């Protein structure tokens, strides 16, 4: 049995990575998790098992070892009596823990996304020196590209770009650290997903952030006009496909030292996304006004605070090249999921059924 250490397993993508690793019969997941007011570390992991396996969750849970700790603490906050034998057992690490929000002050988000990453890297070096750890898989984001225009390649990192928010900057700084430790002898691979959505099968999500937040503003008709370009490309990738793709690539020896864009080659324009959403939920579409012509003075203070973090993504022009990644995945029989009206309806139905966003009229499929 391979012992796979996972951070961020109670998060969105991390939970799907945990499921995918559990579904491999030859792995034993070791999950780093912290207790919260909502439950202990073990309870939070149990809830993830229930989410995926329903009444059969207990069988899956028996395979999971929960280690209480936090990435932003020295030695990951793991009790020394547990950490010392643990570093001799770990075969592989998936580092998925991160704060994925746009409004967090830089010093605070750095504690989790940068210092937290360095703590994981130090732990990985201990595992490598004391045991038989083969590789660390670092989960980043395509948006380390920041404000870089044109094509951003998998080999690119520091191209002199500026950033739209502290999240992008912190993930960029974390990648710089991974490369620093690779030069020290750590074996690693970096994965950069684009905009994560609910799963491809049923549109389910456990995280109504990022894509879902601005959509909620539109459903509630909070804006008559937005500073946006209809042709802006939304590079959406279902979370289940992302986890499958990452785990498939990690099994290849050639993945060592590589960076992989888990991005969709089938991109939907922002305008088309809003059209389908408006048809489904029954809201009045906001007017799209070119950013250079839009006056923020027409918005209330509340409206400004709501929309400002998303304006860069309503006008995003960077293209994420993923030729190498897709070539590798196609050899394994993977194809990029089709992001079309049918898929969006799955996402929207789940939002409606859970009450996160309610539609105002019954959706009728074309034809």
């Amino acid at each position: 049995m391979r012992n796979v250490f996972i951070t961020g397993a109670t998060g969105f993508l991390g939970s799907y990575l945990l499921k995918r690793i559990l579904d491999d019969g030859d792995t034993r997941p070791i999950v780093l998790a912290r207790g919260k007011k909502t439950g202990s570390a073990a309870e939070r992991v149990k809830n993830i098992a229930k989410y995926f396996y329903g009444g059969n969750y207990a069988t899956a849970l028996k395979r999971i070892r929960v280690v209480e700790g936090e990435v932003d603490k020295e030695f990951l906050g793991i009790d020394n009596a547990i950490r010392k034998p643990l570093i001799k057992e770990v075969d592989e690490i998936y580092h998925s823990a991160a704060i994925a929000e746009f409004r967090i002050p830089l010093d605070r988000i750095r504690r989790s996304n940068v210092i937290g990453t360095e703590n994981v890297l130090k732990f990985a070096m201990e595992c490598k020196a004391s045991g038989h750890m083969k590789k660390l898989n670092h989960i980043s984001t395509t948006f380390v590209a920041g404000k870089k225009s044109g094509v951003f390649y998998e080999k690119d990192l520091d191209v002199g770009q500026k950033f739209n928010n502290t999240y992008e900057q912190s993930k960029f700084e974390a990648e710089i650290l991974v490369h620093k430790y690779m030069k020290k002898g750590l074996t690693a691979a970096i994965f950069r997903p684009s905009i994560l959505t609910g799963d491809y099968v049923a549109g389910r999500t456990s995280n109504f952030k990022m894509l879902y937040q601005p959509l909620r503003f539109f459903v509630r008709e909070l804006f008559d006009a937005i500073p946006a370009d209809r042709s802006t490309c939304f590079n959406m990738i279902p979370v289940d496909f992302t986890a499958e793709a990452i785990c498939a690539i990690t099994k290849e020896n050639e993945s060592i030292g590589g960076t992989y864009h888990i991005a969709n080659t089938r991109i939907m324009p922002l305008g088309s996304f809003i059209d389908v959403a408006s048809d489904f939920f029954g809201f009045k579409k906001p007017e799209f006004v070119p950013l250079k012509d839009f006056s923020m003075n027409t918005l209330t203070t509340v409206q400004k605070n709501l929309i400002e973090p998303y304006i860069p993504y309503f006008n995003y022009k960077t293209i994420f090249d993923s030729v190498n990644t897709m070539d590798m995945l196609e050899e394994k029989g993977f194809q990029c999921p089709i992001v079309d009206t049918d898929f969006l309806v799955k996402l929207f139905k789940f939002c409606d059924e859970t009450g996160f966003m309610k539609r105002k009229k019954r959706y009728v499929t074309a034809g």
Side-chain angles (χ1 to χ4, degrees):
M1 296 286 284
R2 291 187 309 125
N3 292 309
V4 179
F5 186 83
I6 311 169
T7 73
T10 56
F12 186 35
L13 176 56
S15 67
Y16 277 83
L17 287 170
L18 173 60
K19 179 184 183 299
R20 183 63 190 81
I21 290 165
L22 273 171
D23 289 345
D24 272 347
D26 64 344
T27 58
R28 181 183 293 110
I30 303 170
V31 172
L32 182 75
R34 60 191 173 96
K36 281 186 168 183
K37 291 180 181 179
T38 53
S40 67
E43 288 171 335
R44 295 177 68 213
V45 173
K46 182 171 75 172
N47 289 336
I48 295 297
K50 285 182 176 179
Y51 179 80
F52 287 114
Y53 298 102
N56 297 320
Y57 79 91
T59 302
L61 204 57
K62 287 178 182 177
R63 296 243 322 274
I64 303 173
R65 177 182 173 188
V66 180
V67 174
E68 188 156 356
E70 299 182 45
V71 295
D72 59 357
K73 291 185 176 179
E74 189 177 20
F75 302 121
L76 302 179
I78 303 173
D79 183 88
N80 198 45
I82 296 172
R83 185 178 63 84
K84 284 198 169 182
L86 181 62
I87 61 178
K88 298 178 181 180
E89 299 171 19
V90 174
D91 295 294
E92 192 168 359
I93 296 174
Y94 285 78
H95 176 42
S96 178
I99 293 176
E101 296 181 24
F102 298 152
R103 297 178 181 272
I104 307 296
L106 187 58
D107 61 340
R108 182 181 161 200
I109 202 168
R110 272 180 172 155
R111 286 201 298 272
S112 176
N113 295 2
V114 183
I115 296 172
T117 294
E118 183 152 33
N119 289 338
V120 172
L121 291 166
K122 288 176 179 177
F123 175 76
M125 292 293 278
E126 283 190 290
C127 293
K128 181 180 176 68
S130 301
H132 44 274
M133 209 234 10
K134 297 178 178 63
K135 182 171 59 171
L136 177 139
N137 302 298
H138 175 69
I139 310 302
S140 184
T141 172
T142 53
F143 293 98
V144 294
K147 297 183 179 182
K148 200 271 183 192
S149 61
V151 180
F152 190 71
Y153 294 94
E154 292 167 315
K155 64 179 177 59
D156 290 339
L157 180 54
D158 188 350
V159 292
Q161 69 270 46
K162 302 296 183 182
F163 301 99
N164 294 298
N165 49 60
T166 58
Y167 168 67
E168 292 181 352
Q169 182 172 341
S170 68
K171 294 299 284 184
F172 167 84
E173 292 176 4
E175 273 202 41
I176 294 289
L177 279 176
V178 175
H179 283 281
K180 174 184 172 182
Y181 275 77
M182 287 168 70
K183 289 178 181 177
K184 293 182 178 181
L186 182 66
T187 302
I190 297 169
F191 297 90
R192 297 174 179 163
S194 57
I195 301 172
L196 291 173
T197 73
D199 70 61
Y200 196 65
V201 176
R204 290 201 311 168
T205 181
S206 58
N207 184 354
F208 291 106
K209 293 182 180 179
M210 299 298 184
L211 174 74
Y212 295 90
Q213 288 292 347
L215 177 58
R216 198 181 198 185
F217 306 154
F218 303 145
V219 171
R220 293 181 174 181
E221 297 183 350
L222 300 182
F223 296 90
D224 295 323
I226 57 172
D229 182 348
R230 280 188 62 89
S231 66
T232 291
C233 291
F234 259 26
N235 196 307
M236 296 176 283
I237 198 80
V239 65
D240 50 346
F241 173 87
T242 302
E244 288 279 347
I246 290 172
C247 289
I249 292 172
T250 59
K251 291 183 177 179
E252 298 299 319
N253 288 332
E254 59 263 35
S255 72
I256 293 172
T259 299
Y260 302 91
H261 283 174
I262 313 297
N264 209 320
T265 55
R266 303 168 182 181
I267 300 172
M268 175 173 283
L270 172 62
S272 299
F273 176 85
I274 297 297
D275 288 344
V276 177
S278 173
D279 190 21
F280 180 89
F281 288 106
F283 64 84
K284 179 184 176 183
K285 287 181 285 188
E287 178 187 357
F288 286 73
V289 178
L291 182 58
K292 63 181 179 63
D293 299 329
F294 190 87
S295 173
M296 294 295 285
N297 293 330
T298 62
L299 302 178
T300 66
T301 301
V302 172
Q303 286 176 316
K304 287 178 185 177
N305 288 336
L306 288 174
I307 203 168
E308 275 181 338
Y310 303 101
I311 291 175
Y313 304 105
F314 293 160
N315 299 276
Y316 206 74
K317 299 301 178 187
T318 307
I319 302 298
F320 307 126
D321 178 81
S322 57
V323 171
N324 293 334
T325 300
M326 290 306 144
D327 283 349
M328 182 178 288
L329 290 174
E330 284 174 7
E331 288 179 4
K332 296 177 171 296
F334 282 76
Q335 288 189 334
C336 260
I338 300 172
V339 174
D340 57 8
T341 298
D342 290 342
F343 173 63
L344 293 184
V345 167
K346 288 180 188 177
L347 299 181
F348 300 157
K349 279 185 176 179
F350 185 77
C351 292
D352 179 57
E353 290 165 0
T354 56
F356 179 74
M357 289 179 280
K358 298 300 291 183
R359 53 184 172 179
K360 301 173 185 178
K361 67 177 184 179
R362 185 174 182 80
Y363 181 81
V364 180
T365 54

